[in-house]
Amino acid sequence: MTQPPPPPNQPPQQPGFGPPQEPSQPQQPAPSAPATPPATPAQQPPAGPDLSKAPQPGYGYPQAPGTPPPAAPPTPPQGPGYGYPQQPPAGYGYPAQQPGPYGQPGPYGQPQQPGPYGQQPPYGYAQPTVPMQAHAGQQGGGRKINAQVAIIVSAVVAIALIVGAGVWYSSSSGKDDDKQTTAEGGDTKGGKGDGKEGGGSGDGGATTGEAKEKAPASTGSKVLFQVPSPKVPKGTTSIPISGSWLTDSVYAKSGLSEITGYDRQTGTKKWTLDLPGPVCTATPHLTEDNKTAIVHKPAMPTAQDPKSCTEVAVIDLEAGTKVWSKTAKSGTMPISFNNVTLSGGTVAAGSTSGGAAWDVATGDERWAPKTSDSCYDAGYGGGPKLVAVRKCGSYDQRQLHIQTVDPKSGDVLAEYKMDEGIEYAAVVSTDPLVVAADVGDSAGDGSGISDFFSIDSKTGKLRARLSAPGDEFAARCDGIYKVENCSGVTVGNDRLYIATEEHDSGGESYSQTNEVVAFDLVTGKQTGQRADAGENYEIYPLRMDGPNVIAYKRPPYDKGGQIVSIDGESFKETLLMENPSTEAVRDVESRMSPEYSEIQYGQGGLYMSSVYASDFTTREKEYSVIAFGAE
C-alpha cells in the first residue's frame, strides 16, 4: 500500500552517506542478521526487523558461498521513518543540507574535515583527504613496546569541530514572542524526579547501584526556559554549537567562544566563561566534582587563518572557571586534536598525529607522541576505564588495536587487534568494553556500524561479535574523529541496548514504530527483550540509570515527546515525563531530533539542544535550547 506524506514538523529525507574511502580498500561480505533465541508467545511487533534469524557465525568464520545479504525490513515507499538517515529541517541552527552532527562546516570559510559518515560539506567548502600513513615493516601496537619506526606526520591535520551552544538567554516568560513557544496553560502538572544523572548519551558502562530516576506523581511537563540561537558572524553560513553538560544545579552550554552555565530550573545565567576561540570538541564525562574537558582554538578563526584545535582545557562547571589549558606537540608541530575524554583522573586527547594526556587536577603531562612510535592513538573512550583506538599500518593495510590503558602511566593493560581492513572504530562503552565498527563498509546507511565487538578488557580477548545490520538498527557512531560519540545505543547489565529502525506498525494503519532490543555481551545473541515505542513514536535509548535504560520517545506530529525508564530485566516501561502537546511547543521539540541534537535528562529535567547555528532560516525566532521540567 502507499504511504501518505509525512505529517507536519517531520524532517525531510536526507541522502545516504558513508565513511570516507581510502584507496583500494577491499570489501568484505555483509554480516548476517543478529541472532535471537526462539520467540515466545509474548507480544511481538507486527512488522519490522526480523529478530529471529539464525545465529551469526563466530568472528573470523568463513561465510557460506553465495549467501545473499540479509533482506531489508519492509519500508514504505514514501515518508521515511525517524530511524532513517534524514536531513533536519531548516531552523534551529541546521543548514539546508545537514552534514551530520560530527562533520559540521566550520566558520569563516576554513577548510573542512568530512563528517563521520563521509558527508560532503555544503556550499563549496573544501574537503581534505583522509590522512594516509606510510609505515615500513611490521607494525607494533604498543605505545611503549617495539617502537622501532619513526612516527609519520599526518598528511592532513584534521580541523576539529566547533562545539558550542547558544549564548543569549531568554526566559519563557516576559516577551510576547517567547510566550508563543511555551507550555503555559497547557498540560498537567508533575513532580520532580530525584537522584543524579549519568554522564550523557552513550555513556554506557558497568551497571552499579540502584536506579535514581523515579516516576513523579504527575508526569506532565512545562517549558522551563529557552535559549535563542546565536547569530552567526557576517559572511558565515553555519557554525556547530554542539556540547552540553548537566550537574545537580547547572545546565552548561558552550557558545561561539564561551561556555555559559544556566540554573537548571529557571534558566538564569549563573556564570559565563569567555574563551579565546571556539570550542572544537568536548567530552560528555564529568569528574565527581563536576569538572569536564574541552578542546578549543587559541583565537577566533578568520578566512585567512582558520586556526587549529590545539588547546586542551579543564573546566569547572560549578564555578564557571578554567582550571588549566595545555598543548602538546608531535615532533615540533603542535597537535590539532579531534577528540578528548576523561578517565581515572586523566584527560586524554587523540588525533591523526597521536594522543596526549594530562593530570586532571594539575595539568601535568602524562604522555605525548614519541618520534619512535610506529602507530598513533586516533582517539580515546573514557568513563570507568580508559580505552585507546590505536591505528597501525598504511592505508591499504590498516589495523586497529583496541587497548585498555593505565590512565596514570599510559601502559597498555590489554589489547585486542581487529582484522585488517576495518578502518574506523568507536568506543560505545569502556566497562564492559564494547566497540562498534562498519566492517567492510557493509552498513550501507552511513551509521558507521555493521557490528559490535564485546571485548574482555582484562585479557584483550573477544567475547562476542554482535551483528547489527544498518537496515535493521538505528544506532550511529562517529569512529572517524570523535570515537566515543555514539547515539541510539547504551550498555549496562552486560547487555547492549539498541534502537531498531522504524517500520510499519502493521494492519491497515499507515503508522510507524520501532523498539529497543537487547543483546547479551557474552553470547552475542539477542535476549528476546524488547520495549515498544508505541504507534507513531520512535524510542531512542539515552543512557543507563543503574540497571534501567533511560529512553526518549520522539512523538507523532500532534503530541509531545516522552521520557521513559525501561526496567533492565522485565523491560517494563515507566513514564517519567510527557511534554506539552501545544503546537508552539511541538514546533520547537520536533526540530530537536535525536539524530541531530543533544538530549540530556536527569532529576526530572529534560534539556534538548541543537548542534548548529546558521542563517538558513526564515523564522523570526530560533532556539538552540529548550528545557522541560515539572509543571
Side-chain angles (χ1 to χ4, degrees):
M1 62 184 65
T2 303
Q3 175 75 10
N9 298 327
Q10 196 158 333
Q13 186 174 7
Q14 172 170 310
F17 36 78
Q21 302 298 307
E22 293 179 331
S24 304
Q25 177 60 39
Q27 297 293 318
Q28 299 184 14
S32 302
T36 183
T40 64
Q43 295 180 354
Q44 300 291 330
D50 184 354
L51 304 179
S52 60
K53 295 183 180 180
Q56 166 74 16
Y59 185 50
Y61 279 51
Q63 299 292 321
T67 302
T75 56
Q78 288 180 256
Y82 291 128
Y84 288 81
Q86 300 175 10
Q87 174 184 339
Y92 284 92
Y94 293 91
Q97 296 295 326
Q98 174 69 16
Y102 314 118
Q104 306 97 322
Y108 315 111
Q110 67 195 59
Q112 304 304 304
Q113 69 183 16
Y117 319 120
Q119 306 94 317
Q120 296 297 321
Y123 312 110
Y125 284 101
Q127 177 171 327
T129 59
V130 178
M132 297 188 297
Q133 308 293 329
H135 297 275
Q138 182 67 28
Q139 306 303 327
R143 180 174 294 95
K144 299 182 178 181
I145 303 173
N146 296 329
Q148 299 174 356
V149 184
I151 187 168
I152 304 300
V153 177
S154 156
V156 175
V157 177
I159 305 292
L161 310 177
I162 296 178
V163 181
V167 238
W168 294 275
Y169 159 73
S170 174
S171 172
S172 58
S173 62
K175 297 183 181 179
D176 292 340
D177 55 354
D178 288 337
K179 291 182 179 179
Q180 297 301 315
T181 53
T182 66
E184 294 180 15
D187 289 1
T188 58
K189 296 182 179 181
K192 182 177 79 172
D194 55 22
K196 186 176 181 179
E197 65 278 13
S201 176
D203 204 19
T207 301
T208 56
E210 299 180 355
K212 297 180 180 179
E213 306 293 352
K214 307 298 182 183
S218 179
T219 56
S221 73
K222 69 174 182 179
V223 175
L224 298 177
F225 64 92
Q226 298 160 109
V227 178
S229 186
K231 304 293 184 181
V232 298
K234 186 177 180 180
T236 303
T237 54
S238 64
I239 295 178
I241 56 171
S242 58
S244 61
W245 304 270
L246 200 57
T247 74
D248 285 337
S249 60
V250 172
Y251 172 71
K253 256 310 212 164
S254 53
L256 301 183
S257 60
E258 65 183 10
I259 300 176
T260 302
Y262 301 93
D263 182 278
R264 287 184 50 148
Q265 294 298 313
T266 66
T268 303
K269 287 185 180 180
K270 301 186 73 170
W271 50 261
T272 298
L273 173 63
D274 293 324
L275 299 169
V279 174
C280 302
T281 187
T283 179
H285 299 298
L286 306 179
T287 63
E288 290 188 359
D289 57 352
N290 292 322
K291 292 182 175 63
T292 192
I294 64 170
V295 175
H296 66 86
K297 296 189 176 186
M300 291 302 294
T302 64
Q304 294 73 30
D305 186 3
K307 303 296 182 182
S308 296
C309 300
T310 56
E311 312 297 310
V312 178
V314 166
I315 306 300
D316 187 326
L317 295 174
E318 293 296 337
T321 58
K322 182 189 291 187
V323 180
W324 52 256
S325 182
K326 300 290 182 179
T327 61
K329 292 183 178 181
S330 176
T332 60
M333 296 292 294
I335 296 176
S336 183
F337 292 102
N338 299 323
N339 57 78
V340 67
T341 195
L342 287 171
S343 182
T346 291
V347 176
S351 75
T352 55
S353 298
W358 300 265
D359 182 276
V360 170
T362 64
D364 292 342
E365 186 177 275
R366 289 189 164 162
W367 66 80
K370 297 177 175 60
T371 56
S372 58
D373 285 345
S374 60
C375 306
Y376 66 94
D377 290 357
Y380 299 93
K385 295 184 179 181
L386 184 61
V387 173
V389 177
R390 192 161 175 83
K391 290 195 174 187
C392 298
S394 58
Y395 71 87
D396 58 346
Q397 290 183 313
R398 179 79 72 215
Q399 186 174 46
L400 302 183
H401 297 193
I402 308 302
Q403 300 176 334
T404 300
V405 177
D406 185 314
K408 305 294 184 183
S409 66
D411 291 337
V412 177
L413 304 178
E415 177 180 73
Y416 172 71
K417 296 181 181 180
M418 305 189 80
D419 278 2
E420 288 187 6
I422 299 177
E423 294 295 319
Y424 308 103
V427 179
V428 182
S429 168
T430 61
D431 186 19
L433 178 53
V434 179
V435 172
D438 186 359
V439 180
D441 301 327
S442 59
D445 63 344
S447 64
I449 305 171
S450 67
D451 297 81
F452 294 93
F453 297 81
S454 173
I455 302 167
D456 190 317
S457 60
K458 295 181 179 179
T459 65
K461 294 182 179 180
L462 183 69
R463 302 171 70 198
R465 179 180 176 182
L466 293 61
S467 178
D471 59 354
E472 295 184 15
F473 297 94
R476 291 177 176 270
C477 287
D478 176 10
I480 299 178
Y481 293 107
K482 298 184 176 182
V483 300
E484 66 175 357
N485 272 18
C486 292
S487 61
V489 61
T490 192
V491 174
N493 304 319
D494 216 22
R495 294 169 185 164
L496 181 141
Y497 301 95
I498 184 173
T500 68
E501 290 281 9
E502 279 204 320
H503 54 80
D504 290 333
S505 296
E508 297 299 322
S509 173
Y510 288 111
S511 64
Q512 296 273 295
T513 191
N514 80 322
E515 303 81 33
V516 169
V517 298
F519 282 83
D520 189 300
L521 294 179
V522 177
T523 66
K525 299 179 180 180
Q526 289 190 42
T527 64
Q529 299 164 305
R530 73 183 66 202
D532 295 323
E535 188 172 345
N536 280 326
Y537 283 88
E538 177 195 16
I539 191 168
Y540 183 93
L542 299 178
R543 62 173 177 87
M544 298 302 298
D545 174 34
N548 297 343
V549 179
I550 300 296
Y552 172 70
K553 286 189 176 183
R554 192 178 188 192
Y557 71 96
D558 58 347
K559 296 182 180 180
Q562 298 178 350
I563 292 290
V564 297
S565 177
I566 304 170
D567 186 281
E569 292 300 325
S570 68
F571 258 47
K572 177 184 177 182
E573 296 180 36
T574 299
L575 180 64
L576 301 180
M577 173 179 286
E578 184 164 14
N579 293 336
S581 59
T582 55
E583 182 178 357
V585 177
R586 293 199 321 265
D587 183 59
V588 180
E589 183 178 5
S590 67
R591 294 172 183 274
M592 305 294 185
S593 68
E595 297 92 341
Y596 301 108
S597 63
E598 298 168 338
I599 302 177
Q600 304 255 16
Y601 178 82
Q603 295 177 274
L606 173 64
Y607 304 82
M608 309 178 74
S609 62
S610 59
V611 295
Y612 271 96
S614 88
D615 60 359
F616 297 113
T617 179
T618 58
R619 295 172 176 267
E620 295 181 359
K621 199 84 170 182
E622 299 288 353
Y623 294 95
S624 63
V625 175
I626 184 167
F628 297 93
E631 180 75 32

